[in-house]
Amino acid sequence: MRRWYGLDEVPQDWGRSVVTIGVFDGVHRGHQTVVGRAARLAADLGLPSVVITFDPHPDEVVRPGSHPPLLASGARRAALLGELGADAVMVIPFTLELSRMGPDEFVQSVLVDRLHAAHVIVGEDFRFGHRAKGDVPLLRELGEKYDFEAEGVPLLADGDTISSTAIRAALADGRVEDAAHELGRPHRVEGVVVRGHQRGRGLGFPTANVESVPHTAIPADGVYAGFLVCDSERYPDARWPAAISIGTNPTFEGVARTVEAYALDRDDLDLYGEHVAVDFVSRIRGMLKFDSIDALIEEMNHDVAVAREATSR
C-alpha cells in the first residue's frame, strides 16, 4: 500500500482511481462498510482505490481546543485502511486555508486534478468545503461537471448506525466491550514505555507505563483485562495477556493519570523505550483506594486471575 502525505506526493502519472474521503477515526465498522465498498468497486473496474483522510482532526483547526479523543493513531488508521483493501492512503494536512476552500475548488484540486477520480464513495453524512456547505447531492452534481460518479453509503453494520462519538462515550464510561463491538476489534492505546515510580515491580507486578499519543481516547479509570502488544527487534510480534490499570494510583496519593499494563506471569521484560500497544478486552473493576498494601496485593491477585480468564477465551 502506498502512503502519501499531501497532494504533492501523488505521482505525476497517476491515472484514474476510486476515491473515498473521511476522517475515519477508529476505522469502525461503519467506516469499514464505506472503504470496503470502494475497494470492491475499484477491483471490479481494475482501478486503484485511494483513501483520503486528514491530520490534524478538522475540529481542532476549525474550533481550536475541541480536538476529540482519537480512536486510532494516524499510523494505525493507515494500516487498518490498507487491510480493508486501500491501494493508497493520502493524509492531507488540514489547515485553515483548506477549511476555507469552497466545495467546487476542493473537488477540482484534490479529486480531479490530482487523483483523476472515476468514482467517489463517501459516508452518506459526508460534508466538505467551507462551512461544510458540500454534501452528497452536491458531490453528485460536481461529479457530472468533472466526469466522475459519486455515491453516499450509510455507516451501517448489522442494521445499526455506527458512530465514533458513541464509541468515545462508551470508552469514557469504561464500556470497552461495547466499544470493541462497534469498532470490530478491541480498542487500542499506543505509546512509548517510560519509567514510572516502579511500585508495581516492588509489589510483584511489574508494569509497563505507557505514555500515550496526544489526544488518545483513554478508557475510564479502572482495571481492565487485555493484551500488551509489542513488535520490535527485541520482541517481534509479541502479544501478552495483561491486566491493565488506568488512573492516578489513589492508594499512593497519585496525581498524574497513567496507563499501566502488567504482562501476566512476565517479570523478565525490558520494555523501556519500546513502542507498545494495549488492547482492551473487558473491564474488571473501577479504581479503588486501599487501606493497606496487603489489601492492594490481594486485590491485584484477584484482578490477575480475572484477566487470565478473560484473555483465555
Short mmCIF file of all heavy atoms in Angstrom, two decimals, residues 202-243:
data_model
loop_
_atom_site.label_atom_id
_atom_site.label_comp_id
_atom_site.label_asym_id
_atom_site.label_seq_id
_atom_site.Cartn_x
_atom_site.Cartn_y
_atom_site.Cartn_z
N GLY A 202 7.81 -3.55 42.78
CA GLY A 202 8.03 -3.82 44.19
C GLY A 202 6.93 -4.67 44.80
O GLY A 202 7.16 -5.37 45.79
N LEU A 203 5.74 -4.64 44.19
CA LEU A 203 4.62 -5.43 44.70
C LEU A 203 4.53 -6.80 44.03
O LEU A 203 3.65 -7.60 44.36
CB LEU A 203 3.31 -4.67 44.46
CG LEU A 203 3.17 -3.31 45.17
CD1 LEU A 203 1.90 -2.61 44.72
CD2 LEU A 203 3.19 -3.49 46.69
N GLY A 204 5.42 -7.06 43.07
CA GLY A 204 5.40 -8.34 42.37
C GLY A 204 4.65 -8.32 41.07
O GLY A 204 4.42 -9.38 40.46
N PHE A 205 4.25 -7.11 40.61
CA PHE A 205 3.51 -6.98 39.36
C PHE A 205 4.16 -5.88 38.51
O PHE A 205 3.64 -4.76 38.43
CB PHE A 205 2.04 -6.62 39.63
CG PHE A 205 1.32 -7.61 40.50
CD1 PHE A 205 1.27 -7.43 41.87
CD2 PHE A 205 0.71 -8.72 39.95
CE1 PHE A 205 0.61 -8.34 42.70
CE2 PHE A 205 0.04 -9.64 40.76
CZ PHE A 205 0.00 -9.45 42.14
N PRO A 206 5.30 -6.16 37.88
CA PRO A 206 5.98 -5.12 37.10
C PRO A 206 5.13 -4.67 35.91
O PRO A 206 4.69 -5.50 35.11
CB PRO A 206 7.27 -5.81 36.63
CG PRO A 206 6.95 -7.26 36.68
CD PRO A 206 6.01 -7.45 37.83
N THR A 207 4.89 -3.39 35.81
CA THR A 207 4.02 -2.87 34.76
C THR A 207 4.79 -2.02 33.75
O THR A 207 5.81 -1.42 34.08
CB THR A 207 2.88 -2.01 35.35
OG1 THR A 207 3.45 -0.90 36.07
CG2 THR A 207 2.00 -2.82 36.28
N ALA A 208 4.26 -2.01 32.54
CA ALA A 208 4.76 -1.10 31.51
C ALA A 208 3.93 0.17 31.59
O ALA A 208 2.70 0.13 31.44
CB ALA A 208 4.63 -1.73 30.13
N ASN A 209 4.59 1.29 31.88
CA ASN A 209 3.92 2.59 31.99
C ASN A 209 3.90 3.21 30.59
O ASN A 209 4.92 3.65 30.08
CB ASN A 209 4.70 3.48 32.97
CG ASN A 209 3.97 4.75 33.30
OD1 ASN A 209 2.97 5.09 32.67
ND2 ASN A 209 4.47 5.49 34.28
N VAL A 210 2.73 3.24 29.98
CA VAL A 210 2.60 3.63 28.58
C VAL A 210 2.27 5.11 28.47
O VAL A 210 1.20 5.55 28.91
CB VAL A 210 1.52 2.79 27.87
CG1 VAL A 210 1.45 3.17 26.38
CG2 VAL A 210 1.80 1.31 28.03
N GLU A 211 3.18 5.87 27.89
CA GLU A 211 2.94 7.30 27.64
C GLU A 211 2.21 7.42 26.31
O GLU A 211 2.81 7.30 25.24
CB GLU A 211 4.26 8.06 27.61
CG GLU A 211 4.10 9.56 27.54
CD GLU A 211 5.43 10.27 27.69
OE1 GLU A 211 6.26 10.18 26.76
OE2 GLU A 211 5.65 10.89 28.76
N SER A 212 0.92 7.63 26.36
CA SER A 212 0.09 7.55 25.16
C SER A 212 0.29 8.75 24.24
O SER A 212 0.75 9.81 24.66
CB SER A 212 -1.39 7.42 25.55
OG SER A 212 -1.80 8.53 26.31
N VAL A 213 -0.10 8.56 23.00
CA VAL A 213 -0.05 9.61 21.99
C VAL A 213 -1.05 10.71 22.38
O VAL A 213 -2.14 10.41 22.90
CB VAL A 213 -0.42 9.01 20.62
CG1 VAL A 213 -0.44 10.09 19.54
CG2 VAL A 213 0.56 7.90 20.26
N PRO A 214 -0.72 11.99 22.16
CA PRO A 214 -1.66 13.07 22.50
C PRO A 214 -3.03 12.87 21.87
O PRO A 214 -3.15 12.37 20.74
CB PRO A 214 -0.98 14.32 21.94
CG PRO A 214 0.48 14.00 21.96
CD PRO A 214 0.56 12.54 21.65
N HIS A 215 -4.06 13.23 22.60
CA HIS A 215 -5.47 13.18 22.17
C HIS A 215 -6.01 11.75 22.06
O HIS A 215 -7.07 11.53 21.48
CB HIS A 215 -5.68 13.91 20.85
CG HIS A 215 -5.23 15.34 20.85
ND1 HIS A 215 -5.77 16.29 21.69
CD2 HIS A 215 -4.28 15.97 20.11
CE1 HIS A 215 -5.17 17.46 21.47
NE2 HIS A 215 -4.26 17.29 20.53
N THR A 216 -5.30 10.77 22.60
CA THR A 216 -5.79 9.40 22.56
C THR A 216 -7.04 9.24 23.42
O THR A 216 -7.14 9.81 24.51
CB THR A 216 -4.71 8.42 23.06
OG1 THR A 216 -3.60 8.46 22.18
CG2 THR A 216 -5.25 7.00 23.12
N ALA A 217 -8.00 8.47 22.94
CA ALA A 217 -9.18 8.14 23.74
C ALA A 217 -8.80 7.09 24.77
O ALA A 217 -8.57 5.92 24.44
CB ALA A 217 -10.29 7.61 22.83
N ILE A 218 -8.69 7.51 26.03
CA ILE A 218 -8.32 6.61 27.13
C ILE A 218 -9.59 6.18 27.85
O ILE A 218 -10.41 7.02 28.23
CB ILE A 218 -7.38 7.32 28.13
CG1 ILE A 218 -6.16 7.91 27.42
CG2 ILE A 218 -6.97 6.36 29.24
CD1 ILE A 218 -5.20 6.91 26.86
N PRO A 219 -9.78 4.88 28.07
CA PRO A 219 -10.98 4.44 28.82
C PRO A 219 -11.01 5.03 30.23
O PRO A 219 -10.01 5.54 30.74
CB PRO A 219 -10.82 2.92 28.85
CG PRO A 219 -9.98 2.60 27.66
CD PRO A 219 -9.02 3.75 27.55
N ALA A 220 -12.17 4.94 30.86
CA ALA A 220 -12.36 5.46 32.22
C ALA A 220 -11.40 4.78 33.19
O ALA A 220 -10.92 3.66 32.97
CB ALA A 220 -13.80 5.22 32.66
N ASP A 221 -11.11 5.48 34.30
CA ASP A 221 -10.25 4.92 35.33
C ASP A 221 -10.78 3.56 35.79
O ASP A 221 -12.00 3.37 35.93
CB ASP A 221 -10.19 5.85 36.54
CG ASP A 221 -9.37 7.10 36.27
OD1 ASP A 221 -8.89 7.27 35.12
OD2 ASP A 221 -9.22 7.92 37.20
N GLY A 222 -9.87 2.63 36.00
CA GLY A 222 -10.26 1.31 36.45
C GLY A 222 -9.23 0.28 36.06
O GLY A 222 -8.13 0.61 35.60
N VAL A 223 -9.58 -0.97 36.25
CA VAL A 223 -8.70 -2.10 35.92
C VAL A 223 -9.38 -2.92 34.83
O VAL A 223 -10.59 -3.21 34.91
CB VAL A 223 -8.40 -2.96 37.15
CG1 VAL A 223 -7.53 -4.16 36.79
CG2 VAL A 223 -7.71 -2.11 38.23
N TYR A 224 -8.60 -3.31 33.85
CA TYR A 224 -9.12 -3.99 32.67
C TYR A 224 -8.30 -5.24 32.35
O TYR A 224 -7.12 -5.34 32.70
CB TYR A 224 -9.06 -3.07 31.45
CG TYR A 224 -9.88 -1.81 31.59
CD1 TYR A 224 -9.38 -0.69 32.25
CD2 TYR A 224 -11.17 -1.73 31.07
CE1 TYR A 224 -10.13 0.47 32.38
CE2 TYR A 224 -11.93 -0.58 31.20
CZ TYR A 224 -11.40 0.53 31.85
OH TYR A 224 -12.15 1.67 31.99
N ALA A 225 -8.93 -6.15 31.64
CA ALA A 225 -8.23 -7.29 31.04
C ALA A 225 -7.95 -6.95 29.59
O ALA A 225 -8.77 -6.29 28.93
CB ALA A 225 -9.08 -8.55 31.14
N GLY A 226 -6.82 -7.40 29.09
CA GLY A 226 -6.50 -7.12 27.70
C GLY A 226 -5.18 -7.74 27.29
O GLY A 226 -4.76 -8.76 27.85
N PHE A 227 -4.53 -7.10 26.34
CA PHE A 227 -3.26 -7.60 25.83
C PHE A 227 -2.26 -6.47 25.71
O PHE A 227 -2.62 -5.34 25.34
CB PHE A 227 -3.44 -8.27 24.47
CG PHE A 227 -4.23 -9.54 24.51
CD1 PHE A 227 -5.62 -9.52 24.39
CD2 PHE A 227 -3.60 -10.76 24.72
CE1 PHE A 227 -6.36 -10.69 24.45
CE2 PHE A 227 -4.34 -11.93 24.78
CZ PHE A 227 -5.72 -11.91 24.65
N LEU A 228 -1.01 -6.76 26.01
CA LEU A 228 0.10 -5.84 25.79
C LEU A 228 0.81 -6.32 24.53
O LEU A 228 1.24 -7.47 24.45
CB LEU A 228 1.05 -5.87 26.99
CG LEU A 228 2.31 -4.99 26.91
CD1 LEU A 228 1.95 -3.52 26.74
CD2 LEU A 228 3.17 -5.20 28.16
N VAL A 229 0.91 -5.43 23.55
CA VAL A 229 1.40 -5.79 22.23
C VAL A 229 2.69 -5.03 21.94
O VAL A 229 2.79 -3.83 22.21
CB VAL A 229 0.35 -5.45 21.14
CG1 VAL A 229 0.85 -5.84 19.76
CG2 VAL A 229 -0.97 -6.14 21.45
N CYS A 230 3.67 -5.73 21.39
CA CYS A 230 4.93 -5.09 21.01
C CYS A 230 5.46 -5.78 19.75
O CYS A 230 5.40 -7.01 19.64
CB CYS A 230 5.96 -5.20 22.13
SG CYS A 230 7.50 -4.31 21.82
N ASP A 231 5.94 -4.97 18.81
CA ASP A 231 6.56 -5.52 17.61
C ASP A 231 7.85 -4.76 17.37
O ASP A 231 7.89 -3.76 16.66
CB ASP A 231 5.62 -5.40 16.41
CG ASP A 231 6.19 -6.08 15.17
OD1 ASP A 231 7.19 -6.81 15.31
OD2 ASP A 231 5.65 -5.87 14.07
N SER A 232 8.91 -5.20 18.02
CA SER A 232 10.20 -4.54 17.92
C SER A 232 11.27 -5.59 17.62
O SER A 232 10.99 -6.79 17.55
CB SER A 232 10.53 -3.82 19.23
OG SER A 232 10.76 -4.77 20.27
N GLU A 233 12.48 -5.13 17.44
CA GLU A 233 13.58 -6.06 17.17
C GLU A 233 13.76 -7.02 18.34
O GLU A 233 14.02 -8.21 18.16
CB GLU A 233 14.87 -5.27 16.93
CG GLU A 233 16.05 -6.14 16.55
CD GLU A 233 17.28 -5.32 16.21
OE1 GLU A 233 17.14 -4.10 15.95
OE2 GLU A 233 18.39 -5.89 16.20
N ARG A 234 13.58 -6.51 19.55
CA ARG A 234 13.76 -7.35 20.74
C ARG A 234 12.56 -8.26 20.97
O ARG A 234 12.71 -9.41 21.39
CB ARG A 234 13.98 -6.46 21.96
CG ARG A 234 14.26 -7.25 23.25
CD ARG A 234 14.37 -6.33 24.45
NE ARG A 234 15.48 -5.39 24.30
CZ ARG A 234 15.67 -4.34 25.11
NH1 ARG A 234 14.83 -4.11 26.10
NH2 ARG A 234 16.70 -3.54 24.93
N TYR A 235 11.35 -7.75 20.70
CA TYR A 235 10.14 -8.53 20.94
C TYR A 235 9.26 -8.51 19.68
O TYR A 235 8.23 -7.83 19.64
CB TYR A 235 9.36 -7.95 22.12
CG TYR A 235 10.13 -7.91 23.41
CD1 TYR A 235 10.57 -6.69 23.95
CD2 TYR A 235 10.45 -9.07 24.10
CE1 TYR A 235 11.28 -6.65 25.14
CE2 TYR A 235 11.15 -9.04 25.30
CZ TYR A 235 11.58 -7.82 25.81
OH TYR A 235 12.28 -7.78 26.99
N PRO A 236 9.65 -9.24 18.65
CA PRO A 236 8.86 -9.23 17.40
C PRO A 236 7.52 -9.95 17.57
O PRO A 236 7.46 -11.04 18.14
CB PRO A 236 9.77 -9.96 16.40
CG PRO A 236 10.64 -10.83 17.25
CD PRO A 236 10.85 -10.08 18.54
N ASP A 237 6.45 -9.30 17.09
CA ASP A 237 5.10 -9.90 17.08
C ASP A 237 4.67 -10.42 18.45
O ASP A 237 4.01 -11.46 18.55
CB ASP A 237 5.04 -11.04 16.06
CG ASP A 237 5.30 -10.57 14.66
OD1 ASP A 237 4.80 -9.51 14.29
OD2 ASP A 237 6.03 -11.27 13.92
N ALA A 238 5.05 -9.72 19.51
CA ALA A 238 4.70 -10.16 20.87
C ALA A 238 3.29 -9.68 21.23
O ALA A 238 2.90 -8.55 20.92
CB ALA A 238 5.71 -9.62 21.87
N ARG A 239 2.56 -10.55 21.90
CA ARG A 239 1.20 -10.21 22.36
C ARG A 239 0.95 -10.99 23.64
O ARG A 239 0.69 -12.19 23.60
CB ARG A 239 0.16 -10.56 21.28
CG ARG A 239 -1.27 -10.10 21.59
CD ARG A 239 -2.13 -10.29 20.35
NE ARG A 239 -3.47 -9.78 20.54
CZ ARG A 239 -4.52 -10.53 20.90
NH1 ARG A 239 -4.36 -11.83 21.11
NH2 ARG A 239 -5.71 -9.99 21.05
N TRP A 240 1.05 -10.28 24.77
CA TRP A 240 0.96 -10.94 26.07
C TRP A 240 -0.38 -10.63 26.74
O TRP A 240 -0.79 -9.45 26.79
CB TRP A 240 2.08 -10.44 26.98
CG TRP A 240 3.47 -10.64 26.46
CD1 TRP A 240 4.14 -11.83 26.31
CD2 TRP A 240 4.37 -9.62 26.02
NE1 TRP A 240 5.40 -11.61 25.81
CE2 TRP A 240 5.58 -10.26 25.63
CE3 TRP A 240 4.30 -8.22 25.93
CZ2 TRP A 240 6.68 -9.56 25.15
CZ3 TRP A 240 5.39 -7.52 25.46
CH2 TRP A 240 6.57 -8.19 25.07
N PRO A 241 -1.08 -11.62 27.29
CA PRO A 241 -2.26 -11.33 28.13
C PRO A 241 -1.84 -10.40 29.26
O PRO A 241 -0.74 -10.52 29.81
CB PRO A 241 -2.66 -12.71 28.66
CG PRO A 241 -2.06 -13.69 27.70
CD PRO A 241 -0.78 -13.06 27.22
N ALA A 242 -2.72 -9.46 29.60
CA ALA A 242 -2.32 -8.43 30.56
C ALA A 242 -3.48 -7.98 31.43
O ALA A 242 -4.65 -8.06 31.05
CB ALA A 242 -1.74 -7.22 29.82
N ALA A 243 -3.11 -7.50 32.62
CA ALA A 243 -4.02 -6.74 33.48
C ALA A 243 -3.60 -5.28 33.36
O ALA A 243 -2.41 -4.97 33.48
CB ALA A 243 -3.92 -7.22 34.93
#
